[in-house]
Amino acid sequence: MLTNQKSLFNLPESITYLNGAYMSPQLKSVEKAGHDAVSKQGFPHKIGVDDFFNGPEMLKKAFAELIDVPDFNNTAIIPSASYGLANAANNVKLEPGDEIIIVDAQFPSNVYAWQKVAAQKKATIKVIATPKNLTGKGKAWNKNILDAINKKTAVVSLGPIHWADGTIFDLRAIREKSKLYNAALIIDGSQFIGAAPFSVKEIKPDAVISVGYKWLMGPYGLGMAYYSDDFNDGEPLENNWINRYKSEDFTQLVNYNPGYQPKAGRYNMGECSNFILVPMLTESIRQLLKWQPENFQNYCNSISKKGISNLQELGCSIEDDDFRSKHLFGVYLPKHIDLQNLKTKFQQESIHVSYRGDAIRVSPSVYNSEADFEKFVSCFKNK
């Protein structure tokens, strides 16, 4: 059972940070790993050939364990979600007339990549609209996604949850339906992985992408990706030296090698050895493995359920438990509560949340408590 972990962070006591989906605060251990790495770079003569490869391998192994990947060689180090999604989009099989399914108001990085490849390949993007009725929205939305998958479908690309309000998408059912038509399933896990259980073994997606600075609790500028064996012969975005076969042998670098590192190794970003960010992200993932994502979800549920019930009593709309993540959810206001007044109250009380679409996006973490939600809910009263 996970307990409050705020002591492991440097968050000021004066603020209530319910905004992990925007950016995670830095763990003290991750900050230390960064400081140590910066100091080490002051002595480049102590950085050897092995350092270019050992750090990335440890990071890939940690990420593979986190998302239940049998072979860490199927993972790659990326600088951003857009980079990882572009690798996937550029290598899926598309024919003129094929359809790419995405959901309404999806995060831009998981839209632009598909718009570009759809234009190139004369494919069509099919957007599954958000159900208008907030009651039962998650159930209806999932049904509409499943109904949209047919013989024209070549790709389904979405997150495990919607980034704006935490609506859960049934990836197992979507994978099962997409498999019937040999459609690829590409997952943007940036607002999910690290905070909730995720298994590549169980879901069998074609690719999974995640930034590092949200629920992986790492630094900005580094992320991770998984690519299935179907991508083993794909064309990477970059032609850098380190993703080439036998690049570990510096004496042979001028003997240019047409081959790539095994499996997803070809998709590693240039300078993937980043001597500062790699140790930081490795440390944060190791901490997540100690906590375990299931415990993370349970903790967020335990501290928020009373507050959610109180908000619903005040007339706010929040997705049903079965179709709502516990670390990220949207609060939709009734007409009698004014959003601008509420924002002013949050500012006065030093409460940090986000606003996405029509929802107040609330994203608690292991550094929050039930008292944080009591303070949050109190701002809604007498408005």
Side-chain angles (χ1 to χ4, degrees), residues 258-273:
Y260 292 96
Q261 293 285 353
K263 297 192 173 186
R266 66 181 55 215
Y267 300 112
N268 283 327
M269 60 183 272
E271 299 186 13
C272 67
S273 307

Side-chain angles (χ1 to χ4, degrees), residues 136-205:
K137 180 182 74 173
K139 184 176 182 179
W141 210 351
N142 274 275
K143 182 181 184 301
N144 293 343
I145 293 168
L146 291 171
D147 288 347
I149 300 172
N150 58 43
K151 62 183 180 181
K152 290 185 178 181
T153 307
V155 178
V156 181
S157 186
L158 75 176
I161 60 174
H162 198 279
W163 73 290
D165 67 2
T167 300
I168 291 174
F169 298 119
D170 188 348
L171 294 182
R172 288 176 177 81
I174 293 169
R175 171 77 289 186
E176 185 176 343
K177 182 76 179 286
S178 64
K179 274 284 189 183
L180 293 176
Y181 300 101
N182 295 316
L185 176 60
I186 312 297
I187 296 172
D188 178 4
S190 298
Q191 291 291 12
F192 191 82
I193 291 173
F198 185 92
S199 172
V200 165
K201 273 187 190 176
E202 290 182 15
I203 298 170
K204 296 180 174 59

Side-chain angles (χ1 to χ4, degrees), residues 30-151:
V30 172
E31 184 178 341
K32 182 180 184 303
H35 285 308
D36 290 346
V38 169
S39 297
K40 183 177 179 180
Q41 272 207 274
F43 305 92
H45 59 286
K46 294 184 178 180
I47 298 175
V49 173
D50 288 346
D51 291 315
F52 283 84
F53 301 93
N54 291 344
E57 182 173 311
M58 287 189 289
L59 173 55
K60 293 170 76 171
K61 285 180 175 177
F63 183 67
E65 182 178 352
L66 183 68
I67 64 170
D68 196 20
V69 173
D71 186 351
F72 76 91
N73 286 307
N74 281 106
T75 66
I77 299 171
I78 56 175
S80 62
S82 58
Y83 185 102
L85 288 161
N87 269 324
N90 290 348
N91 287 287
V92 294
K93 297 176 182 178
L94 282 174
E95 301 292 340
D98 282 348
E99 291 181 346
I100 301 166
I101 290 178
I102 63 174
V103 296
D104 196 16
Q106 194 157 275
F107 192 77
S109 293
N110 202 10
V111 176
Y112 295 141
W114 299 113
Q115 288 178 338
K116 182 176 182 179
V117 75
Q120 291 172 341
K121 300 291 181 67
K122 295 182 172 55
T124 302
I125 293 179
K126 180 186 284 189
V127 181
I128 311 305
T130 309
K132 294 180 180 179
N133 192 343
L134 291 176
T135 303
K137 180 182 74 173
K139 184 176 182 179
W141 210 351
N142 274 275
K143 182 181 184 301
N144 293 343
I145 293 168
L146 291 171
D147 288 347
I149 300 172
N150 58 43
K151 62 183 180 181

Side-chain angles (χ1 to χ4, degrees), residues 301-327:
N301 184 45
S302 69
I303 63 172
S304 64
K305 58 185 178 181
K306 182 178 178 182
I308 288 172
S309 178
N310 291 338
L311 288 171
Q312 289 171 329
E313 289 172 3
L314 292 169
C316 296
S317 295
I318 299 171
E319 182 58 74
D320 296 339
D321 280 0
D322 290 345
F323 288 94
R324 171 183 59 79
S325 65
K326 306 306 183 285
H327 69 287

